[in-house]
Amino acid sequence: MEPKDSQGLHVVLQFLQKNNMKATAEALKQEAGWSGEVFDEQMSTSGDISSVLTRTEDLTQYTTSYTNLQAFIDKSLDMYKSEMSQVLWPLFVYLYLDLVGRGCTKDAKQFYGRFSMEQDAFRDDELRSLAVIETIEHIQSVEMARMFRLKKYVVRMSREAFQCLLRHLQEGDQSLLLNTMNTHVSVDVYEGMPRTTREIEAVAGGIAGEGITAVNKTKVWYGVRKDPELLMAAAADQEEEEIGEDGKPKKKKPKKDTAGTGKKGKPAPSANAPPANRVPFPELKNHEKELKIQALRETTKKAKVDSNHMPSICFYTLLNAHEGLCCVSVSDDSTVVSTGFANSSIRLWAIAPQKLKSLKTPSELEKIDLESSNLMEKLCDDRWIV
């Protein structure tokens, strides 16, 4: 009868014969029921005796460490549980790849089958990619495995939660998990209260984890660089003398630099615009330049709106609108507001200080000339709507 792990037994017998321990080899053959021959071929790296002796311990150690970490996180405080649970996914992936890389494919599959169903639902695609990795060649060829091997998985965690997790790993003698985290996981520790589950789920799902804080410190040039020729033309236009009604030049007043020019008519660089030599401007035709200069002139004449010069805004509230307000429209002269309701009724509201006048009777309206210039005055009588 052949033993279950015939390959491992064959490697051990090779080792015994190589070290001239024939009696021990014969005793092992009889006890294991080995009936085959032992070839004196050179042992390969994958069949090294050290890997065979530790193969049975691998799955137990990996499974026990991961299970203990899951139990610790489940029993921890709710405020730390969400953040500490972020390390379960990268540790699962790296432990599985480590087993595959050591040639323990069978143990890796058992580890995968036991813990893959406990991962988050949005990891299904990544789990399917991980399931096809069974050999060292797969680790080197599958994109997901290469990404996990080349880059560290980023986990953002508060200092309190990280210290709690680190204390458990050190006191519990979890050397396997500690080595894996030091080698493959980058913990971005921040000061403050731990995040909630909803806040973590909002940024979760990245293949390499969360983005580190330093990524968002790169300056972004969101400003638009203006064409120097257009700015020079606008500045020259502002310096032209204005002639008054008496034919004399008006007295110049100091103007603000609305065209974006600096001293001596040179364009002033914008703080948020890219450098002048970064993006070359395309050459414009004369009529295109004139159109852009005209648009720039009109822009400088617009009213400035900022925190010190806010636009006027009016708010109106319709009280007791039981019919259900559907639409609102304001007249061009901003004196009347018309409202439409769900019962097909239309109501007019006066915004101006003077009240609205009532319409004349239908018999009187029939006598009005629709072509008259003061038609609106003729439509209303002298009575005011209360």
Side-chain angles (χ1 to χ4, degrees):
M1 185 178 72
E2 288 292 332
K4 293 183 178 179
D5 192 0
S6 58
Q7 181 181 0
L9 182 59
H10 186 268
V11 174
V12 174
L13 292 173
Q14 282 184 349
F15 175 80
L16 295 175
Q17 286 191 357
K18 185 177 181 181
N19 290 273
N20 201 20
M21 291 185 268
K22 298 181 180 180
T24 306
E26 292 296 332
L28 180 60
K29 280 185 185 182
Q30 294 178 1
E31 185 174 355
W34 177 268
S35 58
E37 297 182 2
V38 179
F39 301 97
D40 294 332
E41 57 187 7
Q42 187 178 2
M43 289 186 292
S44 61
T45 305
S46 61
D48 191 84
I49 186 64
S50 59
S51 64
V52 174
L53 295 176
T54 59
R55 185 175 299 170
T56 56
E57 300 177 359
D58 284 338
L59 182 60
T60 304
Q61 182 184 8
Y62 282 57
T63 303
T64 304
S65 300
Y66 195 82
T67 304
N68 291 341
L69 179 60
Q70 285 181 320
F72 168 74
I73 293 176
D74 289 338
K75 295 179 181 179
S76 60
L77 297 177
D78 292 340
M79 61 184 303
Y80 301 144
K81 186 181 299 183
S82 299
E83 287 205 328
M84 289 192 296
S85 61
Q86 297 179 94
V87 301
L88 291 175
W89 165 250
L91 288 177
F92 167 76
V93 175
Y94 286 117
L95 292 178
Y96 176 81
L97 294 177
D98 192 23
L99 285 171
V100 174
R102 297 176 62 179
C104 306
T105 306
K106 184 178 179 181
D107 294 344
K109 285 299 179 182
Q110 293 181 12
F111 182 82
Y112 178 89
R114 178 167 179 176
F115 299 108
S116 61
M117 301 301 295
E118 300 176 7
Q119 307 303 321
D120 295 324
F122 58 84
R123 301 288 186 184
D124 289 344
D125 293 339
E126 295 168 277
L127 286 171
R128 283 192 288 269
S129 301
L130 192 66
V132 301
I133 302 174
E134 298 181 352
T135 61
I136 300 177
E137 290 74 15
H138 292 166
I139 296 177
Q140 298 173 353
S141 60
V142 177
E143 182 179 0
M144 176 186 171
R146 286 191 291 106
M147 185 173 297
F148 270 89
R149 284 286 189 174
L150 295 176
K151 297 182 179 180
K152 286 190 174 183
Y153 191 93
V154 180
V155 175
R156 195 159 187 262
M157 193 179 302
S158 65
R159 184 170 298 278
E160 295 180 1
F162 177 67
Q163 290 178 350
C164 182
L165 176 63
L166 188 61
R167 192 182 307 113
H168 165 73
L169 295 178
Q170 292 175 344
E171 294 178 356
D173 194 19
Q174 300 284 354
S175 58
L176 175 62
L177 299 183
L178 273 175
N179 294 335
T180 305
M181 288 192 62
N182 291 332
T183 308
H184 301 293
V185 180
S186 174
V187 182
D188 184 13
V189 181
Y190 67 91
E191 303 293 341
M193 293 295 295
R195 295 177 296 173
T196 62
T197 304
R198 181 173 297 181
E199 292 174 337
I200 295 175
E201 290 177 350
V203 295
I207 297 179
E210 294 188 35
I212 57 178
T213 308
V215 173
N216 296 326
K217 293 184 178 179
T218 305
K219 186 174 180 59
V220 178
W221 301 107
Y222 59 85
V224 179
R225 188 166 67 90
K226 298 179 180 179
D227 194 334
E229 294 186 11
L230 301 182
L231 295 178
M232 296 282 287
D237 183 63
Q238 289 182 355
E239 294 177 358
E240 291 182 356
E241 291 184 348
E242 297 181 359
I243 306 300
E245 296 179 357
D246 55 354
K248 296 180 180 180
K250 288 185 178 180
K251 195 173 183 180
K252 290 185 179 180
K253 295 182 180 179
K255 295 184 178 180
K256 295 182 179 180
D257 187 16
T258 56
T261 56
K263 297 181 179 180
K264 299 182 181 180
K266 294 183 179 180
S270 174
N272 296 314
N277 58 354
R278 181 175 179 180
V279 181
F281 283 99
E283 295 184 2
L284 300 177
K285 298 180 180 178
N286 292 333
H287 71 279
E288 293 176 341
K289 290 183 179 180
E290 293 176 0
L291 292 175
K292 286 186 173 292
I293 292 174
Q294 182 64 27
L296 185 59
R297 289 172 183 168
E298 295 177 356
T299 303
T300 58
K301 296 178 182 178
K302 290 182 179 179
K304 187 177 181 180
V305 178
D306 54 16
S307 58
N308 298 324
H309 305 83
M310 299 298 293
S312 300
I313 301 175
C314 297
F315 293 94
Y316 297 94
T317 303
L318 299 178
L319 300 177
N320 302 324
H322 303 294
E323 296 86 353
L325 184 65
C326 297
C327 56
V328 177
S329 179
V330 183
S331 61
D332 295 337
D333 56 356
S334 300
T335 58
V336 180
V337 174
S338 61
T339 58
F341 295 89
N343 60 354
S344 301
S345 62
I346 299 176
R347 295 185 181 182
L348 301 179
W349 310 82
I351 307 177
Q354 56 268 40
K355 298 180 180 180
L356 294 176
K357 291 184 177 181
S358 61
L359 292 174
K360 293 182 178 180
T361 61
S363 58
E364 293 175 343
L365 293 174
E366 292 179 354
K367 300 176 183 179
I368 297 176
D369 183 12
L370 300 179
E371 302 296 333
S372 59
S373 57
N374 56 348
L375 178 61
M376 295 303 297
E377 296 180 2
K378 293 182 179 181
L379 292 175
C380 302
D381 57 14
D382 296 333
R383 295 174 300 169
W384 298 93
I385 299 177
V386 179

